Amino acid sequence: MSKRILVTGGAGFIGSHLCQRLISEGNEVLCVDNFFTGSRRNIVSLLADPKFELLRHDVTYPLSVEVDQIYNLACPASPVHYQFDPVQTTKTSVMGAINMLGLAKRLKAPILQASTSEVYGDPQIHPQVEGYWGNVNPIGPRSCYDEGKRCAETLFFDYYRQHDVQIKVMRIFNTYGPKMHPNDGRVVSNFIVQALRRQDITIYGDGRQTRSFCYVDDLVDGMVKLMNTDQSVTGPINVGNPNEFTIRQLAELVVELANSGSKVVFTDLPVDDPKQRQPNIQMARAVLGWQPTVELREGLIKTIGFFEELLSQGKAAHQATP
């Protein structure tokens, strides 16, 4: 049965893929975005679809609409963007959660929070399981995002306990794919853009720190599966790819797939940058019947193709970084 679905942050990287997926399943989608990091280009293919509606709005202000489900993705997610205005980043996570939870409460609609693996901080256990409380610096330069997302999770569970709101909390691990912002400072987009421009590949630290990279289509599949679980399933649930790679391995693979002559150079590691990041996805497998299917090489080939087209059009160079 077709639903009317609200996606906040719907013009962003993950949000635009989610909007496309929901419309392809016959739903009506209300995409809400303030375009701080989202881009109209990400949703241009949807604008003519009668099942798609776009509303420019900042979730730190209340929103009154009528929908059947709410996906709350609104928040800058890369250090370059969330550290630009850290106070606003925290407000987006916290006030945005309060406003969307209030809407869900009024509508009696299920609401999914796009949380993050950053709630684990620089983890002292590996891989990370949902029961781990994390190792987060509450006063560092990344805290606006890490603690904002942790507070949002607190609000979700308090609304669940106090007001019986139907919540779903999903902890997203490193995700990549087409429609990534070329200047977001994330490792995959950084490496690809540098490789395609035949620039040096910049690695922070010694390159031995690890990450696990999930292709965006897999991530969105897990998100939709979680939203449509029984009301008793609240999460938090890790969604990500458990295959672990060092940053140096990623750099070398990108150089190979981009047919680039770029060389790898090293610079200082940012403050509070986690040394390891790998999800334990046993809960996602058991509860959602979900696991990633796209291997890193396959996903990188698709992502490199997107950036090749972007660079050939000259758009990446003009993509403003806030």
Side-chain angles (χ1 to χ4, degrees):
M1 180 180 176
S2 175
K3 297 181 177 67
R4 180 164 168 79
I5 302 174
L6 168 62
V7 179
T8 72
F13 162 47
I14 294 175
S16 58
H17 284 274
L18 175 61
C19 289
Q20 179 71 62
R21 165 71 181 264
L22 295 172
I23 285 176
S24 73
E25 294 178 347
N27 300 293
E28 294 181 14
V29 170
L30 172 59
C31 168
V32 168
D33 208 295
N34 69 350
F35 293 100
F36 176 62
T37 57
S39 169
R40 186 175 293 270
R41 187 187 64 249
N42 288 342
I43 52 171
V44 68
S45 64
L46 301 176
L47 292 174
D49 194 311
K51 297 190 293 295
F52 181 80
E53 182 180 354
L54 175 63
L55 175 64
R56 189 176 194 124
H57 179 81
D58 187 326
V59 295
T60 61
Y61 297 94
L63 179 65
S64 182
V65 294
E66 303 298 318
V67 294
D68 302 309
Q69 293 179 342
I70 302 167
Y71 288 84
N72 186 38
L73 278 66
C75 189
S78 72
V80 167
H81 294 144
Y82 66 63
Q83 290 173 355
F84 173 75
D85 189 345
V87 172
Q88 185 63 25
T89 294
T90 302
K91 288 172 67 176
T92 300
S93 286
V94 177
M95 295 304 299
I98 290 170
N99 288 330
M100 291 306 108
L101 284 162
L103 178 62
K105 176 186 172 186
R106 177 178 72 80
L107 297 175
K108 296 181 170 53
I111 178 169
L112 183 145
Q113 168 67 1
S115 191
T116 172
S117 61
E118 298 301 323
V119 300
Y120 299 121
D122 189 3
Q124 295 176 328
I125 68 167
H126 191 73
Q128 290 78 61
V129 295
E130 289 86 351
Y132 177 51
W133 290 357
N135 177 39
V136 177
N137 177 0
I139 59 171
R142 301 170 65 102
S143 305
C144 58
Y145 183 70
D146 301 0
E147 294 288 33
K149 288 289 191 176
R150 285 164 68 92
C151 185
E153 287 196 11
T154 299
L155 286 162
F156 265 68
F157 277 89
D158 283 338
Y159 267 77
Y160 167 68
R161 288 184 286 255
Q162 188 172 341
H163 300 300
D164 200 30
V165 173
Q166 302 174 52
I167 66 163
K168 313 285 180 183
V169 176
M170 176 173 163
R171 290 179 178 162
I172 298 172
F173 282 69
N174 290 64
T175 304
Y176 71 99
K179 299 185 182 180
M180 293 184 81
H181 196 296
N183 299 324
D184 66 5
R186 297 192 207 187
V187 64
V188 173
S189 52
N190 264 10
F191 287 179
I192 291 175
V193 170
Q194 288 172 338
L196 291 175
R197 288 177 170 163
R198 305 302 191 261
Q199 299 170 341
D200 291 343
I201 304 289
T202 307
I203 290 181
Y204 297 104
D206 60 11
R208 288 185 290 182
Q209 66 270 37
T210 66
R211 296 292 185 272
S212 305
F213 302 101
C214 185
Y215 190 66
V216 64
D217 289 352
D218 282 336
L219 188 284
V220 166
D221 186 54
M223 192 173 279
V224 171
K225 279 182 162 65
L226 176 56
M227 172 60 89
N228 293 297
T229 52
D230 183 84
Q231 185 174 345
S232 64
V233 179
T234 61
I237 292 183
N238 291 336
V239 176
N241 194 317
N243 295 329
E244 190 177 12
F245 296 86
T246 68
I247 296 301
R248 175 138 198 178
Q249 285 176 315
L250 174 68
E252 291 169 348
L253 183 56
V254 167
V255 169
E256 174 198 335
L257 296 177
N259 296 313
S260 172
S262 297
K263 65 178 182 179
V264 174
V265 299
F266 299 88
T267 189
D268 294 338
L269 194 67
V271 176
D272 297 330
D273 192 61
K275 298 174 189 67
Q276 290 182 306
R277 182 70 82 230
Q278 181 190 20
N280 180 310
I281 62 167
Q282 289 181 2
M283 187 180 296
R285 286 190 176 110
V287 176
L288 307 180
W290 177 89
Q291 64 180 17
T293 60
V294 179
E295 295 294 336
L296 182 61
R297 177 178 287 268
E298 177 189 352
L300 284 176
I301 290 171
K302 295 178 181 179
T303 309
I304 289 169
F306 164 78
F307 278 107
E308 282 180 325
E309 182 178 356
L310 199 65
L311 290 172
S312 71
Q313 297 169 352
K315 291 181 179 177
H318 303 293
Q319 184 81 282
T321 300

